[in-house]
Amino acid sequence: MKDEEGILWCTTLNNGIYFAKDPDLISYNERNGLIHPTIYTLYISNEGEIWAGANDNIIYKFSSDFLLEDTFKIQLHRDDRITAIKEIDNEVWVASKTGIAIFNDKSVGPDLIPLRADDLCFDSTNNEMWLVGQFTLRVSKKEFDKKRVKYVEGNTYYMSNQYGFDEFYTGNANNIIIHEGIKWVGTTYGLKNIANDKINSKVIKNLELRDEVTNLAIWQNKLIFGSKSNGVFLIEGDSVATNYNQFNSALKTNSIFSLYCKNEIAYVGTNAGLYKLEMIGGDVHLSDLNEYSSIRNEKIRSIAEKGGFLYLGTDIGIIRTKLNAGKTADKLILYLDSVSGFTQQQSKGKYLLKYPNQSLSVYLTSLHYKNSEDMTYQYRLMPKAKDWKASKSNTLHLESLAEGNYTLELRAKVNNLVSDTRQIKLSVGPPIWRTLS
């Protein structure tokens, strides 16, 4: 529901109550439900649910309305980060460096396969599962399904089963994708592919890359991949069509963390924010999206899109933002989270304090994601003090206020940005002996 200030309040099954001050910009972090805030992978299921993978084998599941519904922990022999989330045969498959969890009945938890997978994909033509990690592995899905172990809370499983895999030594691999019948594998030492049961290393004619391939995608029916220190590569046929890097484009870094492609747009997540490749009139244009205050210069480790919103996995949690066609003015917004200590709320933004309760606490929130450590909160109590006082804390305590009427003015400041001023009206009653006749 929405309150009188337009704030959206939401209840969940297992994670309490949340509020969204701006439905176009919502973030989840350690303060509002995430055990681990760093999000390595995001996936939106066919049912519209948002799945997110973090450290310590933690998985978060959000409703289609972006409400946190469940937090899962894969019970395997050690904890590590979630590396990939895919949907196969109406099941959600979650890969980690210590095993795979398969969610087919979300009420009782996942099935488990204790086998490392940095990424996985399903070859529906041959009914085969492909996994990459220390090795690139292939096995029939039927055989793979036999090795599932039913999830039991608290149990530990070890890698003990023989799966009948075919092994392809591609070197340590991060990701795998199928394009036009060929399996493309991104490794720590460049791009490789597997075709006709053979591993091919020199697969792109004009590419000599001894760098880690961080992610793979298909865009405009072309292979596109990001690298650790050489930018983004767009492949056409068996050649590099374009290499976008900080020396020849709007990119301010060569370290690519994530890719998300849809229709004419490919979003590029880096260690310094978000960028966009867009096909316009047959030409590719790269633009910097860091002018948007909600995503300034964060490490964008994963990207998903749903209903006109971008979901961004960062080191400080998940950000949902709606990007407009043009640049938006950078704006700092200050909200009053709550006010406590008053005797009575007389009306919106107006509070009465009666003796002996002459103290008040105000809790503030500001929406801005760039240089949040430089944020300061300023306040002054009119007409008692006309000069602004500054604090790094978002909590303000006023103690032992004297009888009278006051206007508390509040604002936030970061760099050269100053928020609009918020006001709270205060009326402090006289001591009880002053009211005796």
Side-chain angles (χ1 to χ4, degrees):
M1 71 174 187
K2 283 188 177 181
D3 65 15
E4 60 185 8
E5 293 188 2
I7 295 176
L8 179 66
W9 291 85
C10 311
T11 60
T12 68
L13 289 175
N14 301 313
N15 291 281
I17 301 173
Y18 297 99
F19 61 91
K21 308 177 188 70
D22 180 356
D24 284 353
L25 177 61
I26 298 176
S27 66
Y28 281 91
N29 49 52
E30 285 180 303
R31 290 180 58 191
N32 60 357
L34 301 190
I35 300 171
H36 292 290
T38 302
I39 304 301
Y40 292 99
T41 183
L42 287 168
Y43 179 77
I44 297 176
S45 72
N46 293 333
E47 297 176 355
E49 301 163 330
I50 299 103
W51 293 72
N55 274 323
D56 290 347
N57 288 348
I58 295 293
I59 307 159
Y60 307 109
K61 182 170 77 73
F62 298 83
S63 71
S64 58
D65 295 325
F66 200 38
L67 304 178
L68 181 58
E69 288 187 335
D70 281 302
T71 299
F72 299 96
K73 181 178 178 65
I74 304 177
Q75 300 292 333
L76 289 162
H77 63 282
R78 64 181 176 86
D79 290 338
D80 213 315
R81 65 184 177 91
I82 302 297
T83 53
I85 304 175
K86 303 286 178 71
E87 193 159 5
I88 301 168
D89 289 346
N90 296 317
E91 298 177 323
V92 176
W93 289 58
V94 180
S96 80
K97 291 182 178 295
T98 54
I100 299 168
I102 305 161
F103 290 84
N104 53 12
D105 185 346
K106 303 179 182 67
S107 64
V108 297
D111 296 345
L112 298 173
I113 299 177
L115 185 69
R116 170 183 171 175
D118 289 80
D119 196 7
L120 53 84
C121 71
F122 177 52
D123 181 352
S124 58
T125 302
N126 299 302
N127 197 35
E128 295 173 340
M129 292 296 305
W130 287 77
L131 286 72
V132 296
Q134 188 173 1
F135 296 90
T136 296
L137 307 172
R138 174 180 66 183
V139 70
S140 73
K141 187 172 184 299
K142 181 178 179 181
E143 189 67 26
F144 204 53
D145 286 342
K146 289 180 183 178
K147 306 300 182 183
R148 297 188 186 188
V149 181
K150 200 63 187 174
Y151 174 89
V152 179
E153 186 70 39
N155 279 8
T156 302
Y157 302 101
Y158 294 89
M159 196 186 301
S160 59
N161 293 315
Q162 296 299 314
Y163 292 86
F165 279 111
D166 296 324
E167 292 186 2
F168 298 86
Y169 185 69
T170 54
N172 285 327
N174 303 312
N175 31 67
I176 183 169
I177 197 168
I178 301 174
H179 180 48
E180 296 181 342
I182 297 175
K183 284 78 178 178
W184 293 87
V185 181
T187 77
T188 53
Y189 295 104
L191 182 66
K192 300 180 181 180
N193 70 25
I194 300 173
N196 300 320
D197 284 348
K198 292 183 179 179
I199 303 169
N200 305 293
S201 296
K202 294 185 178 181
V203 292
I204 305 300
K205 288 181 178 178
N206 57 341
L207 178 65
E208 291 291 337
L209 182 69
R210 301 291 292 175
D211 189 15
E212 181 176 349
V213 175
T214 54
N215 34 70
L216 292 165
I218 304 301
W219 183 50
Q220 299 288 296
N221 203 35
K222 299 180 179 69
L223 183 69
I224 184 173
F225 69 89
S227 65
K228 187 176 181 179
S229 55
N230 284 277
V232 179
F233 293 83
L234 184 61
I235 307 301
E236 191 164 356
D238 58 359
S239 302
V240 175
T242 313
N243 169 217
Y244 300 94
N245 56 59
Q246 67 186 103
F247 306 111
N248 65 7
S249 71
L251 284 175
K252 294 183 174 64
T253 177
N254 284 335
S255 184
I256 310 302
F257 281 11
S258 54
L259 291 170
Y260 180 82
C261 303
K262 187 174 183 181
N263 301 327
E264 289 80 23
I265 294 176
Y267 292 103
V268 181
T270 75
N271 66 343
L274 186 67
Y275 297 81
K276 178 177 71 173
L277 288 168
E278 187 171 13
M279 186 69 71
I280 303 176
D283 296 324
V284 178
H285 297 262
L286 189 146
S287 55
D288 184 345
L289 296 183
N290 289 305
E291 291 301 319
Y292 297 94
S293 62
S294 59
I295 50 176
R296 279 185 172 273
N297 298 324
E298 293 296 339
K299 293 180 180 178
I300 310 297
R301 296 188 178 275
S302 50
I303 307 169
E305 188 272 341
K306 174 178 173 288
F309 290 98
L310 275 184
Y311 295 82
L312 307 173
T314 74
D315 284 1
I316 60 170
I318 305 173
I319 300 169
R320 187 185 81 168
T321 183
K322 180 172 281 189
L323 296 179
N324 299 319
K327 291 182 178 180
T328 59
D330 203 359
K331 190 175 182 180
L332 178 60
I333 304 172
L334 178 69
Y335 294 102
L336 303 181
D337 267 1
S338 62
V339 179
S340 66
F342 56 88
T343 306
Q344 178 186 353
Q345 183 172 358
Q346 297 176 313
S347 61
K348 180 181 176 181
K350 188 174 182 180
Y351 300 90
L352 172 65
L353 286 77
K354 290 185 178 180
Y355 182 87
N357 298 320
Q358 297 166 273
S359 300
L360 192 79
S361 296
V362 181
Y363 303 89
L364 306 169
T365 296
S366 57
L367 284 181
H368 201 271
Y369 289 90
K370 182 182 180 183
N371 300 333
S372 58
E373 68 277 4
D374 296 330
M375 185 78 65
T376 58
Y377 297 91
Q378 299 179 333
Y379 66 95
R380 62 184 180 186
L381 191 62
M382 302 284 287
K384 184 178 180 180
K386 295 188 177 181
D387 293 331
W388 290 96
K389 294 183 179 181
S391 172
K392 299 293 289 185
S393 173
N394 67 336
T395 302
L396 171 64
H397 300 290
L398 300 176
E399 303 286 348
S400 303
L401 293 173
E403 175 188 353
N405 295 313
Y406 304 92
T407 298
L408 176 62
E409 295 187 338
L410 305 132
R411 67 187 185 186
K413 183 178 181 181
V414 60
N415 299 331
N416 295 320
L417 291 176
V418 180
S419 72
D420 292 338
T421 300
R422 301 293 301 265
Q423 291 187 340
I424 297 176
K425 300 289 186 180
L426 303 176
S427 179
V428 182
I432 190 169
W433 60 82
R434 292 273 311 277
T435 63
L436 299 176
S437 57

